[in-house]
Amino acid sequence: MGAIGGTHAVRAARSTSPMVDRARERRVERRMNVHAMTTTRVTALRYDAHPYVESADASVKEYVEVANEPDAVAFATTRNGGKTLCERSGGPAYASCADVAASGGVDFNDGTRALHVGRDVMRGNRAVFIVCLDDDDDGVRAAFEKAAGGSELALRDTKEASYAFDMADAAIVARGAALSAWREKQKFCRQCGTPAPKIVGAGRKVVCGNCRASEYPDLMPCCLALITCGNYILLGRNKRWPQNFYSLIAGFVERSESLEACVAREALEEAMIAVDPKSIEYVRCQPWPFPNQLMIGFRASAAPERLGPLKMPPQPQTHDGELADARWFHVDYLASRLAPDRAFADPRGAEGENEIPFGEIALPGEHALARVLVQDWVEEKMSYRRRRCDDRLVTTVVEGSFFTECALSSGDDEDDDNDSSVFEKAESLHFVMAEVLLAQEGQAPVVLRAAPGDLSKVHQDVVAEIERVGQGARAVAFVRATGRILCARDDDGAQRINVKMLSETSDEGFDARKIVVAMMQKACPFHDFAFVEV
């Protein structure tokens, strides 16, 4: 094998002693053990390179020597790192550095076309390089196709393609693509403006030949805020996202701003929700090298508002134009929609038809920190509910999800209209409600299913059960409401539930109609509600 780059002799292997090799193995094992201890529900978040990549040795001045190692490999992206050369199986295409260098035009030491990503600790500590593809790079591409057994390779969006990579490849490719994107932006010195500062250290540093100023890859911290109010969570939809795709409130940290202040500011700017500063707590973070972000996840809580004695989340308002929608989702709704047989995949960038039906929701994929934060919160809530005696009341005596799985009419029938005659159809649903438990902060009312003649008896039974289970549950009021509901579609396409009240009574201070809407919003968060008079 000839010298790669044409400047150094062949180097068969690294000149390391057995003692050095054993020290490296112990260091890698120690890193893996520490990483395993610091993760929670997921073994590791994607793009976290720490357990998979050993950084380049700062003492190595000539990276061409590393590229000459027999097991050294390279993968290829476009110059901005946006697309990666992939195999048909979905994984990144690797080729020997020697074959890539032999194809011409690639010097593994000058940082112009290739840079050293690090050592792949999962595959024998082999050196891994990233190579930038140009439009006329037929020779370089042919070297990768040869390594893939002659099969045709394809350039795919790096972020989308990485969903199918294993964890190690996802971290390695994302790390290299981020460095490549940063390097492509180094056109001028940031200090004096001199063109083309010299790229050194295999692409990890630029040095100006005029003022000798150095620049390193930048990093943009971004806060993700899981904002809760009792059993509700606030999710928003960016105006550029597909319909019914939601994620957490997020934003970049500004200069001279703490992370906690960023969480509070973004919640207020994007949804007009004020969070309690004392409730903001760090959860975990994730590198997001598309191109250079660090996602920092927090939890925070908002103070509830009162609907009479009932406490419910404050109404979000979008006003800055960044979010198309922001709304609260109940844990029961999220738990049912995130079940494996019902969850919808992240539709952003997906090929083909991937529309999310009305009334359903899609969240970022499991590779994203936002999904991990939401899913962990839902699992904690459901587990806590199973352990609490007052929540056992919900499952044994009453049913708090009366409308969760109602087969509401889509409103698409040609003879649907907005007058009261729609309630005479067979599709209209009757409801009966007896409220005897004041909900905790942000929690939907507990709903009883009973025939109207049985309400007084049910009331007595529930009061007795509440007193039996004790702490955290007490009968404070009684609301009785009966009526019919029908889902209709407005002229602008919005879904609305029309409600006709047949009877309503309540203790002083309660508004039966507000409680009916609060009850239905728990299971139908995408609908508007309107009362149709008899």
Side-chain angles (χ1 to χ4, degrees), residues 117-165:
V117 178
R119 293 192 176 275
D120 186 349
V121 300
M122 305 299 291
R123 303 178 180 91
N125 242 37
R126 67 180 182 179
V128 180
F129 286 77
I130 181 174
V131 174
C132 294
L133 289 175
D134 291 327
D135 294 337
D136 57 350
D137 271 343
D138 294 337
V140 175
R141 186 157 180 166
F144 283 96
E145 291 178 348
K146 178 183 176 182
S151 61
E152 186 177 352
L153 305 178
L155 277 172
R156 298 180 58 196
D157 181 271
T158 300
K159 182 169 67 174
E160 300 297 331
S162 67
Y163 299 167
F165 296 173

Short mmCIF file of all heavy atoms in Angstrom, two decimals, residues 117-165:
data_model
loop_
_atom_site.label_atom_id
_atom_site.label_comp_id
_atom_site.label_asym_id
_atom_site.label_seq_id
_atom_site.Cartn_x
_atom_site.Cartn_y
_atom_site.Cartn_z
N VAL A 117 -12.45 11.96 12.31
CA VAL A 117 -13.58 12.03 13.24
C VAL A 117 -13.19 11.48 14.60
O VAL A 117 -13.59 12.00 15.64
CB VAL A 117 -14.79 11.25 12.68
CG1 VAL A 117 -15.95 11.28 13.66
CG2 VAL A 117 -15.21 11.83 11.34
N GLY A 118 -12.39 10.42 14.64
CA GLY A 118 -11.98 9.79 15.89
C GLY A 118 -11.79 8.31 15.69
O GLY A 118 -11.65 7.83 14.56
N ARG A 119 -11.79 7.57 16.80
CA ARG A 119 -11.61 6.12 16.74
C ARG A 119 -12.90 5.43 17.16
O ARG A 119 -13.50 5.77 18.19
CB ARG A 119 -10.44 5.69 17.61
CG ARG A 119 -9.10 6.18 17.07
CD ARG A 119 -7.93 5.52 17.75
NE ARG A 119 -6.68 5.94 17.15
CZ ARG A 119 -6.15 5.39 16.05
NH1 ARG A 119 -6.76 4.37 15.48
NH2 ARG A 119 -5.01 5.83 15.56
N ASP A 120 -13.30 4.48 16.37
CA ASP A 120 -14.52 3.71 16.61
C ASP A 120 -14.24 2.65 17.66
O ASP A 120 -13.69 1.59 17.38
CB ASP A 120 -14.96 3.07 15.28
CG ASP A 120 -16.30 2.36 15.39
OD1 ASP A 120 -16.80 2.18 16.51
OD2 ASP A 120 -16.85 1.97 14.34
N VAL A 121 -14.63 2.93 18.92
CA VAL A 121 -14.29 2.01 20.01
C VAL A 121 -15.11 0.73 19.96
O VAL A 121 -14.77 -0.25 20.61
CB VAL A 121 -14.50 2.70 21.38
CG1 VAL A 121 -13.63 3.92 21.49
CG2 VAL A 121 -15.96 3.05 21.61
N MET A 122 -16.20 0.72 19.19
CA MET A 122 -17.03 -0.48 19.10
C MET A 122 -16.51 -1.46 18.05
O MET A 122 -16.95 -2.61 18.01
CB MET A 122 -18.47 -0.09 18.75
CG MET A 122 -19.11 0.92 19.70
SD MET A 122 -19.21 0.30 21.38
CE MET A 122 -20.45 -0.98 21.19
N ARG A 123 -15.57 -1.02 17.22
CA ARG A 123 -15.05 -1.87 16.14
C ARG A 123 -13.52 -1.85 16.16
O ARG A 123 -12.88 -1.42 15.20
CB ARG A 123 -15.59 -1.44 14.79
CG ARG A 123 -17.13 -1.45 14.71
CD ARG A 123 -17.60 -0.96 13.36
NE ARG A 123 -19.04 -0.95 13.23
CZ ARG A 123 -19.83 0.09 13.53
NH1 ARG A 123 -19.27 1.21 13.99
NH2 ARG A 123 -21.12 0.04 13.38
N GLY A 124 -12.96 -2.27 17.27
CA GLY A 124 -11.53 -2.42 17.36
C GLY A 124 -10.73 -1.15 17.39
O GLY A 124 -9.54 -1.15 17.06
N ASN A 125 -11.36 -0.03 17.75
CA ASN A 125 -10.65 1.25 17.81
C ASN A 125 -10.07 1.68 16.46
O ASN A 125 -9.05 2.36 16.39
CB ASN A 125 -9.52 1.20 18.85
CG ASN A 125 -9.75 2.22 19.96
OD1 ASN A 125 -10.88 2.45 20.37
ND2 ASN A 125 -8.68 2.82 20.45
N ARG A 126 -10.75 1.31 15.41
CA ARG A 126 -10.27 1.71 14.08
C ARG A 126 -10.45 3.20 13.88
O ARG A 126 -11.38 3.82 14.42
CB ARG A 126 -11.02 0.95 12.99
CG ARG A 126 -12.49 1.32 12.89
CD ARG A 126 -13.19 0.55 11.79
NE ARG A 126 -14.59 0.94 11.66
CZ ARG A 126 -15.43 0.42 10.77
NH1 ARG A 126 -15.01 -0.54 9.95
NH2 ARG A 126 -16.68 0.84 10.69
N ALA A 127 -9.54 3.81 13.12
CA ALA A 127 -9.64 5.23 12.82
C ALA A 127 -10.73 5.46 11.78
O ALA A 127 -10.88 4.70 10.83
CB ALA A 127 -8.30 5.74 12.30
N VAL A 128 -11.50 6.54 11.97
CA VAL A 128 -12.60 6.88 11.05
C VAL A 128 -12.40 8.31 10.57
O VAL A 128 -12.19 9.23 11.37
CB VAL A 128 -13.97 6.73 11.73
CG1 VAL A 128 -15.08 7.09 10.75
CG2 VAL A 128 -14.16 5.31 12.25
N PHE A 129 -12.49 8.48 9.25
CA PHE A 129 -12.38 9.79 8.61
C PHE A 129 -13.67 10.11 7.88
O PHE A 129 -14.44 9.22 7.53
CB PHE A 129 -11.21 9.82 7.61
CG PHE A 129 -9.85 9.86 8.24
CD1 PHE A 129 -9.29 8.71 8.78
CD2 PHE A 129 -9.12 11.04 8.29
CE1 PHE A 129 -8.04 8.73 9.36
CE2 PHE A 129 -7.86 11.07 8.87
CZ PHE A 129 -7.31 9.92 9.41
N ILE A 130 -13.89 11.40 7.66
CA ILE A 130 -14.99 11.83 6.81
C ILE A 130 -14.40 12.50 5.58
O ILE A 130 -13.44 13.27 5.68
CB ILE A 130 -15.93 12.80 7.56
CG1 ILE A 130 -17.10 13.22 6.65
CG2 ILE A 130 -15.21 14.00 8.10
CD1 ILE A 130 -18.15 14.06 7.35
N VAL A 131 -14.96 12.18 4.42
CA VAL A 131 -14.49 12.72 3.15
C VAL A 131 -15.61 13.53 2.53
O VAL A 131 -16.77 13.11 2.53
CB VAL A 131 -14.07 11.59 2.19
CG1 VAL A 131 -13.73 12.15 0.82
CG2 VAL A 131 -12.88 10.83 2.77
N CYS A 132 -15.29 14.73 2.03
CA CYS A 132 -16.29 15.58 1.39
C CYS A 132 -16.38 15.25 -0.09
O CYS A 132 -15.36 15.17 -0.79
CB CYS A 132 -15.92 17.06 1.55
SG CYS A 132 -15.99 17.61 3.26
N LEU A 133 -17.59 15.07 -0.55
CA LEU A 133 -17.82 14.76 -1.97
C LEU A 133 -18.07 16.03 -2.76
O LEU A 133 -18.78 16.93 -2.30
CB LEU A 133 -19.03 13.82 -2.12
CG LEU A 133 -18.86 12.38 -1.65
CD1 LEU A 133 -20.20 11.66 -1.76
CD2 LEU A 133 -17.80 11.66 -2.48
N ASP A 134 -17.49 16.08 -3.95
CA ASP A 134 -17.78 17.14 -4.90
C ASP A 134 -18.60 16.56 -6.04
O ASP A 134 -18.71 15.34 -6.21
CB ASP A 134 -16.49 17.77 -5.43
CG ASP A 134 -15.77 18.58 -4.35
OD1 ASP A 134 -16.48 19.17 -3.50
OD2 ASP A 134 -14.53 18.62 -4.36
N ASP A 135 -19.17 17.44 -6.87
CA ASP A 135 -20.01 16.98 -7.97
C ASP A 135 -19.26 16.09 -8.96
O ASP A 135 -19.84 15.20 -9.58
CB ASP A 135 -20.61 18.19 -8.71
CG ASP A 135 -21.58 18.96 -7.83
OD1 ASP A 135 -22.12 18.36 -6.88
OD2 ASP A 135 -21.79 20.17 -8.09
N ASP A 136 -17.96 16.33 -9.14
CA ASP A 136 -17.18 15.58 -10.12
C ASP A 136 -16.34 14.48 -9.49
O ASP A 136 -15.33 14.04 -10.05
CB ASP A 136 -16.27 16.53 -10.91
CG ASP A 136 -15.34 17.32 -10.00
OD1 ASP A 136 -15.54 17.26 -8.76
OD2 ASP A 136 -14.44 18.00 -10.52
N ASP A 137 -16.73 14.01 -8.31
CA ASP A 137 -15.95 13.01 -7.59
C ASP A 137 -16.33 11.59 -7.99
O ASP A 137 -16.65 10.76 -7.14
CB ASP A 137 -16.16 13.18 -6.07
CG ASP A 137 -15.15 14.15 -5.47
OD1 ASP A 137 -14.14 14.41 -6.13
OD2 ASP A 137 -15.40 14.63 -4.36
N ASP A 138 -16.30 11.30 -9.27
CA ASP A 138 -16.64 9.95 -9.71
C ASP A 138 -15.64 8.92 -9.16
O ASP A 138 -16.02 7.81 -8.79
CB ASP A 138 -16.66 9.89 -11.24
CG ASP A 138 -17.79 10.73 -11.82
OD1 ASP A 138 -18.77 10.98 -11.06
OD2 ASP A 138 -17.70 11.14 -12.98
N GLY A 139 -14.36 9.29 -9.10
CA GLY A 139 -13.36 8.35 -8.62
C GLY A 139 -13.53 8.02 -7.16
O GLY A 139 -13.45 6.86 -6.74
N VAL A 140 -13.76 9.04 -6.33
CA VAL A 140 -13.96 8.82 -4.90
C VAL A 140 -15.22 7.99 -4.66
O VAL A 140 -15.22 7.04 -3.87
CB VAL A 140 -14.05 10.17 -4.15
CG1 VAL A 140 -14.39 9.94 -2.68
CG2 VAL A 140 -12.75 10.94 -4.30
N ARG A 141 -16.26 8.31 -5.37
CA ARG A 141 -17.52 7.56 -5.20
C ARG A 141 -17.34 6.11 -5.64
O ARG A 141 -17.90 5.19 -5.03
CB ARG A 141 -18.64 8.23 -5.96
CG ARG A 141 -20.00 7.61 -5.72
CD ARG A 141 -21.10 8.56 -6.01
NE ARG A 141 -22.40 7.96 -5.77
CZ ARG A 141 -23.53 8.63 -5.68
NH1 ARG A 141 -23.51 9.95 -5.79
NH2 ARG A 141 -24.67 8.03 -5.46
N ALA A 142 -16.57 5.91 -6.69
CA ALA A 142 -16.32 4.55 -7.17
C ALA A 142 -15.59 3.72 -6.12
O ALA A 142 -15.82 2.51 -6.00
CB ALA A 142 -15.53 4.59 -8.47
N ALA A 143 -14.70 4.36 -5.35
CA ALA A 143 -13.98 3.64 -4.29
C ALA A 143 -14.95 3.14 -3.23
O ALA A 143 -14.82 2.03 -2.72
CB ALA A 143 -12.93 4.55 -3.68
N PHE A 144 -15.96 3.95 -2.90
CA PHE A 144 -16.96 3.52 -1.91
C PHE A 144 -17.85 2.42 -2.48
O PHE A 144 -18.23 1.48 -1.78
CB PHE A 144 -17.79 4.71 -1.47
CG PHE A 144 -17.09 5.61 -0.48
CD1 PHE A 144 -16.44 6.75 -0.91
CD2 PHE A 144 -17.09 5.31 0.87
CE1 PHE A 144 -15.79 7.58 -0.02
CE2 PHE A 144 -16.45 6.13 1.77
CZ PHE A 144 -15.79 7.27 1.34
N GLU A 145 -18.20 2.53 -3.76
CA GLU A 145 -19.02 1.49 -4.38
C GLU A 145 -18.27 0.16 -4.47
O GLU A 145 -18.85 -0.92 -4.28
CB GLU A 145 -19.48 1.94 -5.76
CG GLU A 145 -20.49 3.10 -5.71
CD GLU A 145 -20.88 3.57 -7.09
OE1 GLU A 145 -20.21 3.16 -8.08
OE2 GLU A 145 -21.86 4.35 -7.21
N LYS A 146 -16.97 0.25 -4.72
CA LYS A 146 -16.15 -0.97 -4.75
C LYS A 146 -16.14 -1.64 -3.38
O LYS A 146 -16.26 -2.87 -3.26
CB LYS A 146 -14.73 -0.63 -5.19
CG LYS A 146 -13.78 -1.83 -5.20
CD LYS A 146 -12.37 -1.39 -5.58
CE LYS A 146 -11.41 -2.58 -5.51
NZ LYS A 146 -10.01 -2.16 -5.82
N ALA A 147 -16.01 -0.84 -2.32
CA ALA A 147 -16.00 -1.40 -0.97
C ALA A 147 -17.34 -2.03 -0.62
O ALA A 147 -17.41 -2.95 0.19
CB ALA A 147 -15.67 -0.31 0.05
N ALA A 148 -18.41 -1.53 -1.25
CA ALA A 148 -19.76 -2.07 -0.99
C ALA A 148 -20.08 -3.23 -1.92
O ALA A 148 -21.26 -3.60 -2.06
CB ALA A 148 -20.79 -0.96 -1.15
N GLY A 149 -19.08 -3.80 -2.56
CA GLY A 149 -19.31 -4.94 -3.43
C GLY A 149 -19.90 -4.58 -4.77
O GLY A 149 -20.55 -5.42 -5.41
N GLY A 150 -19.70 -3.35 -5.20
CA GLY A 150 -20.20 -2.93 -6.49
C GLY A 150 -21.64 -2.47 -6.49
O GLY A 150 -22.17 -2.08 -7.54
N SER A 151 -22.31 -2.50 -5.35
CA SER A 151 -23.71 -2.08 -5.29
C SER A 151 -23.81 -0.57 -5.40
O SER A 151 -22.90 0.17 -5.02
CB SER A 151 -24.36 -2.56 -3.99
OG SER A 151 -23.70 -2.00 -2.87
N GLU A 152 -24.93 -0.12 -5.92
CA GLU A 152 -25.14 1.30 -6.12
C GLU A 152 -25.44 1.98 -4.78
O GLU A 152 -26.24 1.49 -4.00
CB GLU A 152 -26.29 1.54 -7.09
CG GLU A 152 -26.49 3.00 -7.46
CD GLU A 152 -27.62 3.17 -8.47
OE1 GLU A 152 -28.11 2.16 -8.97
OE2 GLU A 152 -27.99 4.33 -8.73
N LEU A 153 -24.77 3.10 -4.54
CA LEU A 153 -24.96 3.85 -3.31
C LEU A 153 -25.82 5.07 -3.57
O LEU A 153 -25.96 5.51 -4.71
CB LEU A 153 -23.61 4.27 -2.72
CG LEU A 153 -22.60 3.14 -2.48
CD1 LEU A 153 -21.29 3.71 -1.94
CD2 LEU A 153 -23.16 2.10 -1.51
N ALA A 154 -26.38 5.63 -2.51
CA ALA A 154 -27.25 6.80 -2.66
C ALA A 154 -26.91 7.84 -1.62
O ALA A 154 -26.58 7.52 -0.48
CB ALA A 154 -28.72 6.38 -2.54
N LEU A 155 -26.99 9.12 -2.02
CA LEU A 155 -26.84 10.22 -1.08
C LEU A 155 -28.19 10.48 -0.41
O LEU A 155 -29.18 10.77 -1.07
CB LEU A 155 -26.37 11.48 -1.80
CG LEU A 155 -24.87 11.62 -2.05
CD1 LEU A 155 -24.58 12.81 -2.95
CD2 LEU A 155 -24.10 11.75 -0.74
N ARG A 156 -28.22 10.37 0.91
CA ARG A 156 -29.46 10.57 1.65
C ARG A 156 -29.27 11.66 2.70
O ARG A 156 -28.15 11.89 3.18
CB ARG A 156 -29.91 9.27 2.34
CG ARG A 156 -30.22 8.15 1.37
CD ARG A 156 -30.66 6.91 2.14
NE ARG A 156 -31.82 7.20 2.98
CZ ARG A 156 -32.22 6.42 3.98
NH1 ARG A 156 -31.53 5.33 4.30
NH2 ARG A 156 -33.29 6.73 4.68
N ASP A 157 -30.35 12.33 3.04
CA ASP A 157 -30.31 13.35 4.08
C ASP A 157 -29.70 12.74 5.35
O ASP A 157 -30.16 11.69 5.83
CB ASP A 157 -31.72 13.86 4.36
CG ASP A 157 -31.73 14.95 5.42
OD1 ASP A 157 -31.84 14.59 6.61
OD2 ASP A 157 -31.64 16.13 5.07
N THR A 158 -28.68 13.38 5.90
CA THR A 158 -27.94 12.79 7.01
C THR A 158 -28.82 12.53 8.22
O THR A 158 -28.78 11.45 8.81
CB THR A 158 -26.77 13.71 7.41
OG1 THR A 158 -25.90 13.87 6.29
CG2 THR A 158 -25.98 13.12 8.57
N LYS A 159 -29.63 13.52 8.59
CA LYS A 159 -30.47 13.34 9.78
C LYS A 159 -31.51 12.25 9.56
O LYS A 159 -31.71 11.39 10.42
CB LYS A 159 -31.15 14.66 10.14
CG LYS A 159 -32.00 14.57 11.40
CD LYS A 159 -32.45 15.93 11.87
CE LYS A 159 -33.42 16.58 10.90
NZ LYS A 159 -33.97 17.83 11.43
N GLU A 160 -32.18 12.26 8.40
CA GLU A 160 -33.20 11.25 8.14
C GLU A 160 -32.58 9.86 8.03
O GLU A 160 -33.13 8.88 8.54
CB GLU A 160 -33.96 11.60 6.85
CG GLU A 160 -34.65 12.95 6.87
CD GLU A 160 -35.74 13.03 7.92
OE1 GLU A 160 -36.32 11.99 8.26
OE2 GLU A 160 -35.99 14.14 8.43
N ALA A 161 -31.44 9.76 7.36
CA ALA A 161 -30.81 8.45 7.18
C ALA A 161 -30.33 7.88 8.50
O ALA A 161 -30.35 6.66 8.71
CB ALA A 161 -29.64 8.57 6.21
N SER A 162 -29.92 8.74 9.43
CA SER A 162 -29.35 8.26 10.69
C SER A 162 -30.37 7.55 11.56
O SER A 162 -30.01 6.83 12.48
CB SER A 162 -28.72 9.42 11.47
OG SER A 162 -29.71 10.33 11.90
N TYR A 163 -31.68 7.75 11.28
CA TYR A 163 -32.69 7.05 12.05
C TYR A 163 -32.53 5.54 11.92
O TYR A 163 -32.85 4.78 12.85
CB TYR A 163 -34.10 7.43 11.60
CG TYR A 163 -34.44 8.90 11.75
CD1 TYR A 163 -35.57 9.43 11.15
CD2 TYR A 163 -33.64 9.76 12.49
CE1 TYR A 163 -35.90 10.78 11.27
CE2 TYR A 163 -33.95 11.11 12.61
CZ TYR A 163 -35.09 11.61 12.00
OH TYR A 163 -35.39 12.93 12.12
N ALA A 164 -32.04 5.09 10.75
CA ALA A 164 -31.91 3.66 10.49
C ALA A 164 -30.53 3.12 10.88
O ALA A 164 -30.31 1.92 10.83
CB ALA A 164 -32.19 3.36 9.02
N PHE A 165 -29.60 4.01 11.24
CA PHE A 165 -28.26 3.56 11.63
C PHE A 165 -28.31 2.94 13.02
O PHE A 165 -29.19 3.23 13.82
CB PHE A 165 -27.28 4.74 11.66
CG PHE A 165 -27.03 5.40 10.33
CD1 PHE A 165 -26.28 6.56 10.26
CD2 PHE A 165 -27.55 4.87 9.16
CE1 PHE A 165 -26.05 7.18 9.05
CE2 PHE A 165 -27.32 5.49 7.94
CZ PHE A 165 -26.57 6.65 7.89
#
